[in-house]
Amino acid sequence: MASSVSSLTRNRVPALLVYLLAVVVVSGLGGLATSGAVSSGGWYAEADKPFFTPPSFVFGPVWTVLYAAIAVAAWRLSRHREAQPEATHRALLLWWIQLGLNLLWSPVFFAAQLLWAGLVVIVALDLVLAVLVAKAWRLDRAAGLLLAPYLAWVLFATALTAGFALLN
């Protein structure tokens, strides 16, 4: 029994660290792409905003919680590799794709100021996330529940992105 417990710990803890590191890297790079635009005098700070734009101080705490949930969801999904390898592979592939789209959106929208292209990227993220949440729900309900607020927030961000594109 002790050897099987240590084997599980050895395999699961590094996986969680990989997913946490991945979201920390995406968060950091996204922050770098965003910082110039949102700083005083940056285009975002001066742009016309949709009436439902939250105050800037909301974004940091929300993304911190969401990124943690995203990492834990991937870790939970990865725990199904042996029992359901194909379903797990598909879900984790979608997880990595959504993370790439998440990373792509910030430099496109904030750094390059390509608002309509940003809308295309975030709509693609919406679609990938919706499929990921459905697959995660079937594989591991807790993972699906962890990803659901992220999908809701990205759908809200899609509305914001569309608003910015229309107003600017």
Side-chain angles (χ1 to χ4, degrees):
M1 176 69 161
S3 67
S4 66
V5 171
S6 67
S7 170
L8 289 174
T9 303
R10 234 187 348 253
N11 292 332
R12 290 185 181 166
V13 172
L16 178 58
L17 293 177
V18 166
Y19 298 123
L20 284 170
L21 180 61
V23 297
V24 166
V25 167
V26 167
S27 173
L29 292 173
L32 287 174
T34 303
S35 62
V38 299
S39 64
S40 180
W43 79 264
Y44 179 88
E46 305 297 322
D48 292 328
K49 296 173 181 60
F51 70 90
F52 53 92
T53 304
S56 294
F57 69 83
V58 169
F59 292 96
V62 168
W63 275 113
T64 300
V65 171
L66 291 175
Y67 278 131
I70 293 164
V72 172
W75 172 71
R76 289 193 60 90
L77 291 170
S78 73
R79 294 170 37 187
H80 296 276
R81 277 193 179 115
E82 286 183 27
Q84 299 179 47
E86 287 185 32
T88 301
H89 175 75
R90 284 190 296 273
L92 288 173
L93 179 61
L94 288 169
W95 188 89
W96 285 105
I97 292 169
Q98 69 75 28
L99 198 64
L101 289 167
N102 180 309
L103 175 61
L104 180 60
W105 181 82
S106 293
V108 169
F109 182 83
F110 284 109
Q113 298 177 46
L114 298 171
L115 307 183
W116 290 102
L119 184 59
V120 170
V121 171
I122 204 165
V123 166
L125 177 56
D126 293 333
L127 296 172
V128 170
L129 269 177
V131 174
L132 173 57
V133 169
K135 287 189 179 300
W137 179 260
R138 286 192 295 273
L139 196 58
D140 184 304
R141 294 248 164 123
L145 289 171
L146 285 165
L147 291 168
Y150 174 39
L151 175 58
W153 183 256
V154 172
L155 289 168
F156 175 67
T158 302
L160 283 172
T161 302
F164 272 91
L166 288 169
L167 293 171
N168 296 283

